[in-house]
Amino acid sequence: MKNVEDTGLMDFLKVLPPVEFCCMYGSTLHPNNHDKSKMVDLILGVSDPQKWHEKNIQLNKDHYASWMVYFGGGKLVTEVADEIGVGVHFNPYVTWNKKMLKYGVVRMHDLIQDILYWKTFYLSGRLQKPVNILVDSLDVRQLNSVNLRSAVSAALLLLPPEFTEVDLYAKICSLSYMGDLRMLFAEDRDKVIKIVRGQFQLFQSMYQPSLEQYKAKELLQFSSPGSHQANIYQDCGLAATEFLVSSLPTTVRNTMGIKLGEKRSLSGSGGVTNQVLIRSRKEAVDCMQGALRRKVMVSSARQAVSGLLAVGGVKAAKYLASKMCKAWRSWR
């Protein structure tokens, strides 16, 4: 059953061209959020962004920076998103029905590639945190289960032999912030733990299937079966490390293979597969962490430049100022 917020956002989608995917993410999902002035964040997936933006400019020209509308329209919007950014165009500060909205538009193919392979690790990182899916024509929710399992594997590699559920979800949440330039000056330094504590039960419901799978493989043990906040113990041996690395997306494994070397082994079907050569857990963890950090750094920098161009000077200054104010309050 959809709540009032969902129904309102579905009504908003009716003023836009049709989309194949839509999800709400961010602080507005916090169960105790009562600040209705906060901007509602949406991701929209469409088959052809240029055609979608051209139609949307006809319907909602005021959602876009005026210079983009006049100098290139939908073609320019898409080119900036693809060539400078990571394939996502955001329209922030859209006022509708007494709400402030920000929606990002992405090509469905690019969204799926990022979910499955962490190609840019931009939207896949957002989908590792709780989201509210409103439209899902291509069953992205099911595809995202691959992304969630990969996130668990990466987080486990970064965690010690014993940890709590909060530690696990915080580590998962932090993956997409490693190397993010905004964390240096424009984000709340306590952002990760606030997300996890505020949405703990949502994280549990998302990751329970993956944790059960890893428990069945005897990679994980729980101190109190049935407890909602149990301590977790993991196998940190070389075989467990090899399994976790093999569960990472191909783009990450390929980067690790170049650094650490690869070995060939027979798969269950009789074919030959390349596996990352693991000599020690620490070496594998450091290599994976470096690969993710570089990926996030490049993506966040590209998207920041794209965003400044896409929203225009006034909106960009307003958005950056609001982010920096939140960061300064957390530092104080």
Side-chain angles (χ1 to χ4, degrees), residues 91-239:
N91 283 331
Y93 296 106
V94 173
T95 304
W96 184 83
N97 197 22
K98 299 181 180 180
K99 296 181 186 297
M100 189 71 74
L101 308 175
K102 178 181 75 175
Y103 63 90
V105 180
V106 63
R107 187 178 289 101
M108 283 301 302
H109 176 266
D110 293 344
L111 174 62
I112 291 170
Q113 288 286 304
D114 204 34
I115 286 172
L116 296 179
Y117 307 116
W118 292 5
K119 187 177 179 181
T120 65
F121 203 44
Y122 189 76
L123 293 179
S124 53
R126 279 161 172 73
L127 289 170
Q128 288 166 3
K129 306 171 188 68
V131 297
N132 188 4
I133 296 177
L134 304 175
V135 178
D136 194 10
S137 301
L138 299 182
D139 203 6
V140 170
R141 187 191 301 275
Q142 181 61 36
L143 287 175
N144 196 48
S145 63
V146 176
N147 181 29
L148 301 186
R149 284 195 297 274
S150 297
V152 170
S153 295
L156 289 176
L157 285 167
L158 294 167
L159 285 165
E162 180 181 350
F163 51 91
T164 66
E165 266 193 277
V166 171
D167 294 333
L168 174 62
Y169 302 142
K171 189 62 69 176
I172 290 171
C173 189
S174 70
L175 293 174
S176 60
Y177 295 124
M178 292 193 304
D180 191 331
L181 301 177
R182 296 171 304 170
M183 297 302 289
L184 298 176
F185 65 93
E187 288 289 1
D188 184 343
R189 65 179 180 179
D190 300 319
K191 181 171 185 172
V192 168
I193 198 64
K194 286 179 180 177
I195 291 173
V196 173
R197 287 177 177 167
Q199 305 179 41
F200 183 79
Q201 291 183 331
L202 296 177
F203 274 98
Q204 278 192 317
S205 63
M206 285 177 70
Y207 285 100
Q208 203 59 43
S210 295
L211 294 182
E212 290 297 331
Q213 288 179 10
Y214 281 42
K215 180 182 176 182
K217 293 180 182 294
E218 298 184 347
L219 293 170
L220 299 178
Q221 290 183 342
F222 295 80
S223 61
S224 304
S227 170
H228 291 297
Q229 298 189 45
N231 283 350
I232 304 173
Y233 306 89
Q234 68 164 322
D235 180 354
C236 291
L238 210 56

Side-chain angles (χ1 to χ4, degrees), residues 17-49:
V19 301
E20 295 179 339
F21 174 78
C22 172
C23 73
M24 179 171 65
Y25 69 97
S27 59
T28 49
L29 285 175
H30 193 301
N32 297 320
N33 173 51
H34 302 296
D35 184 0
K36 300 306 178 184
S37 66
K38 282 189 175 181
M39 193 148 50
V40 178
D41 297 306
L42 300 170
I43 292 295
L44 310 180
V46 303
S47 58
D48 187 330

Side-chain angles (χ1 to χ4, degrees), residues 80 84-85 88-90 92 301-312 316:
V80 169
I84 298 176
V88 190
H89 171 85
F90 282 98
R302 287 181 58 185
Q303 192 59 37
V305 175
S306 171
L308 288 173
L309 292 173
V311 303

Side-chain angles (χ1 to χ4, degrees), residues 12 14-17 52-64 69 91 94 96 103:
F12 170 69
K14 294 176 183 177
V15 308
L16 304 176
W52 192 92
H53 287 300
E54 288 171 351
K55 181 65 175 177
N56 196 38
I57 287 171
Q58 294 175 5
L59 298 172
N60 303 290
K61 186 170 69 173
D62 58 316
H63 291 185
Y64 295 82
V69 173
N91 283 331
V94 173
W96 184 83
Y103 63 90

